Amino acid sequence: MLLGVNIDHIAVLREARRINDPDPIDALSIAKRAGADQITIHLREDRRHIQDEDAKRIVELSPLPVNLECAIAPEIVQIVSNLNPHRVTLVPEKREEVTTEGGLDLEKNFDALKETILHFQNRGIEVSLFIDPYLEHIEMATDLHVEWVELHTGSFANIHASLYGNLLRSHHRIPSLDQPREVLANMLQKSLDALTKAAAAADAKGLKVAAGHGLNYQNVQKITPIVSIRELNIGQSIIARSIFTGLHESISTMKRLIG
């Protein structure tokens, strides 16, 4: 299984002090040596972490393919198409969110997505859609003629964290997940079943399948048996671990876990 390392949180640390380090560029060669297969970044409209110059330098200098996540806002689309990354992953975006929560609303944004997808594909850029693991979304992704879908694993990750006691900060608790363990265990299995079915359906339609959001060292091995998933994009947990172990070790350990 391929590993895309999201390096946004290196820029988060830099932007906390508005200084020049740590520089996300320094992660590129380390990621390659540690066994990563791809660099993933998100150029948000609010520029809360990765900046335009970061994105430009990363695409130009990365020894690994770059997967650039972005919303379908016209300004961002134009910037990203000029950068010409290996792949663009279209994601929903809300300024008030801490991180991207939930997949794209394909039905509501179908026409805008279709136009944006063609814009990138006409420039030779592969396109992926970040979607929730619903079969109807796989059908719409097929109709949009993208090369990839990335399945949102956030629901799975939240249930796993509640079941195994990883949601320690009260403001991160999700009321609907304050359930007995047996209920959470059943919910976890259902979320895995949904991911498995969606991945298989996408694969059967000729779509390449990635997955990501909330994956970490505790939960990722429940995802790896899903054979239709080719790639995992993981960021926050890798960068968090690297504070204590170093970036090379945190990446190589994740790579070993996913096989």
Side-chain angles (χ1 to χ4, degrees), residues 17 25 37 78 91 100 115 125 141 166 207 214 231 242 247:
R17 292 291 298 272
I25 293 295
D37 301 288
Q78 190 57 56
V91 301
T100 305
E115 181 180 347
I125 303 170
N166 300 125
L207 296 168
E231 170 190 292
S242 75
L247 185 58

Side-chain angles (χ1 to χ4, degrees), residues 195-206:
L195 287 163
T196 302
K197 290 176 182 177
D203 184 59
K205 294 284 189 181

Side-chain angles (χ1 to χ4, degrees), residues 67-97:
N67 170 31
L68 206 164
E69 300 175 342
C70 70
I72 59 174
E75 177 212 357
I76 296 292
V77 168
Q78 190 57 56
I79 291 170
V80 172
S81 64
N82 289 339
L83 293 176
N84 196 34
H86 176 74
R87 187 192 312 161
V88 168
T89 298
L90 299 176
V91 301
E93 195 172 296
K94 299 176 182 176
R95 288 182 177 267
E96 68 272 14
E97 67 190 358

Side-chain angles (χ1 to χ4, degrees), residues 4-47:
V5 176
N6 187 313
I7 59 174
D8 290 346
H9 281 81
I10 297 173
V12 169
L13 181 58
R14 178 195 63 194
E15 294 301 306
R17 292 291 298 272
R18 301 289 182 179
I19 52 177
N20 295 325
D21 62 296
D23 189 340
I25 293 295
D26 293 337
L28 301 179
S29 60
I30 297 172
K32 181 175 173 58
R33 294 196 303 271
D37 301 288
Q38 175 176 269
I39 297 296
T40 296
I41 58 173
H42 184 175
L43 183 64
R44 293 184 63 104
E45 289 184 83
D46 60 15
R47 307 304 201 276

Side-chain angles (χ1 to χ4, degrees), residues 124-162:
I125 303 170
E126 285 190 337
V127 180
S128 179
L129 299 176
F130 188 67
I131 60 174
D132 292 313
Y134 304 145
L135 295 180
E136 57 267 31
H137 288 186
I138 300 301
E139 291 292 336
M140 283 187 278
T142 303
D143 292 340
L144 285 164
H145 303 292
V146 291
E147 291 84 5
W148 286 80
V149 291
E150 181 168 347
L151 302 180
H152 180 246
T153 54
S155 177
F156 155 79
N158 287 335
I159 297 167
H160 189 281
S162 290

Side-chain angles (χ1 to χ4, degrees), residues 90 113-121 127 129 144 146:
L90 299 176
L113 284 165
K114 186 173 183 178
E115 181 180 347
T116 302
I117 290 162
L118 284 172
H119 175 86
F120 285 126
Q121 290 175 333
V127 180
L129 299 176
L144 285 164
V146 291

